[in-house]
Amino acid sequence: MDLSTLKTEERNPLTDNIDKVSTLEMLRIINREDQKVATAVEKELPNIAEAVDVIAQQLHEGGRLIYIGCGTSGRLGILDSVECPPTYSTDPGQVIGLIAGGYDAIFKAVEGAEDNWKLGEQDLKKLELTDKDVVVGLAASGRTPYVLGGMAYAKSIGAKVVGVSCCPGSEIAESADIAITPTPGPEVVTGSTRMKSGTAQKLVCNMLSTGAMIRLGKVYGNLMVDVKPSNKKLIQRCKHIVCEATGVPTSEAEAVLEQCDYRPKVAIVMILCKCSEEEAVRRLEAADGRIAMAIEHTR
């Protein structure tokens, strides 16, 4: 393994005195480097768009989005996956995050797990991976055996495979059906890929899941209309979203939400179409869950 060939392991000449400057200047240096991340991701938008369309299509057909990674990359995939159910009312098994070493590795490094090619395959087999699923391999270096093993298995059974790395021409990029390779340059602290590379991967994951959910009709305008009211904050958010979408006062939004078991999409269609819960559900089912289509012939 020659780390000197990896973009993520290069020494950054712009930060080589970071240990000698004031705290404020140190943070300015970090901030300047962080600003390069969004630009790096921007260059990959065509590839991200292609991946979003594939993910949305596979989810629509009953498939799953499965992130697989190690360390920081694995944790980012898990973070994205666990936020989908409360945000978009997805089934907990629809978006999944796998990390080398399993549950314990979320909180503490599991030595050697990322170097085990076969383990990536085994973890996907445990999920009973099918050709309807999309596997997103996450690895800043683009060479992690656990991720490569998982990607290889996914391809062997016909699943769609996306590779997200920060090193152009990496094994992960070469192994993927769709390669997403934001390259924000050397890290502020050499080797700490949880920083710029981690941020780049987080931005990509945000786009992949959010873009797919928008394509699946879980957003109306820019409102998160499939939010799950699982706590007090989210209950209030449901009311606010219904008010924003329909222009009705909070009292009316609350009354309609109570009628339809706090399903914002149903409540919005009920109000805009002046119809019953049953009619709103029928309209949404006919429109594949998209509010704009469900109310099309009303306005």
Side-chain angles (χ1 to χ4, degrees):
M1 185 191 310
D2 184 4
L3 295 182
S4 66
T5 64
L6 301 177
K7 286 287 183 185
T8 51
E9 300 293 333
E10 288 180 359
R11 193 166 180 183
N12 193 331
L14 300 177
T15 66
D16 58 4
N17 290 318
I18 200 168
D19 60 331
K20 299 181 178 67
V21 300
S22 69
T23 301
L24 180 57
E25 180 57 25
M26 175 210 310
L27 299 180
R28 284 186 175 130
I29 292 170
I30 293 173
N31 182 244
R32 281 196 295 269
E33 290 299 305
D34 283 345
Q35 290 174 39
K36 298 174 182 178
V37 177
T39 301
V41 172
E42 181 182 17
K43 294 176 181 176
E44 291 297 307
L45 289 180
N47 298 325
I48 298 170
E50 184 181 355
V52 166
D53 287 339
V54 167
I55 292 166
Q57 182 63 35
Q58 297 303 98
L59 291 178
H60 183 262
E61 294 179 1
R64 298 168 294 178
L65 168 59
I66 301 168
Y67 293 110
I68 183 168
C70 309
T72 296
S73 300
R75 294 181 190 103
L76 289 170
I78 290 169
L79 176 62
D80 199 72
S81 67
V82 300
E83 290 182 343
C84 285
T87 305
Y88 295 112
S89 292
T90 60
D91 184 279
Q94 191 175 33
V95 184
I96 300 169
L98 292 177
I99 185 170
Y103 183 84
D104 290 345
I106 299 172
F107 307 99
K108 185 178 179 181
V110 175
E111 300 300 330
E114 72 173 56
D115 296 326
N116 191 329
W117 173 287
K118 205 68 181 170
L119 186 59
E121 176 180 334
Q122 291 169 1
D123 283 351
L124 287 174
K125 283 183 175 178
K126 288 176 185 176
L127 292 178
E128 298 181 347
L129 190 75
T130 76
D131 59 5
K132 289 185 177 180
D133 298 325
V134 182
V135 172
V136 178
L138 299 166
S141 68
R143 49 144 301 276
T144 311
Y146 171 81
V147 179
L148 287 166
M151 291 172 65
Y153 172 68
K155 288 193 77 171
S156 74
I157 67 164
K160 305 296 184 183
V161 177
V162 178
V164 181
S165 65
C166 296
C167 291
S170 70
E171 292 177 75
I172 279 177
E174 295 295 328
S175 300
D177 297 316
I178 303 169
I180 300 170
T181 315
T183 312
E187 295 287 0
V188 170
V189 176
T190 303
S192 183
T193 53
R194 72 181 185 87
M195 299 185 74
K196 288 162 65 179
S197 296
T199 302
Q201 290 174 91
K202 177 68 169 77
L203 292 178
V204 171
C205 289
N206 285 351
M207 289 181 176
L208 294 178
S209 58
T210 302
M213 296 305 159
I214 292 171
R215 285 283 163 261
L216 291 171
K218 292 179 175 291
V219 173
Y220 174 52
N222 62 355
L223 297 172
M224 196 172 75
V225 290
D226 242 353
V227 60
K228 188 173 183 178
S230 54
N231 59 40
K232 289 182 178 179
K233 179 189 74 175
L234 294 177
I235 289 171
Q236 289 303 119
R237 186 169 285 165
C238 285
K239 296 176 188 177
H240 177 70
I241 285 171
V242 172
C243 290
E244 287 290 318
T246 63
V248 302
T250 302
S251 57
E252 183 176 344
E254 185 173 6
V256 176
L257 280 164
E258 287 176 354
Q259 290 178 48
C260 65
D261 197 26
Y262 264 81
R263 290 175 289 173
K265 288 172 78 169
V266 176
I268 290 167
V269 175
M270 287 172 68
I271 293 168
L272 294 180
C273 296
K274 297 180 172 58
C275 66
S276 67
E277 177 186 355
E278 293 75 18
E279 173 65 11
V281 170
R282 186 193 67 76
R283 282 173 174 257
L284 283 166
E285 288 176 349
D288 226 1
R290 293 169 171 81
I291 291 176
M293 291 174 62
I295 65 173
E296 194 171 54
H297 302 298
T298 301
R299 290 187 158 183

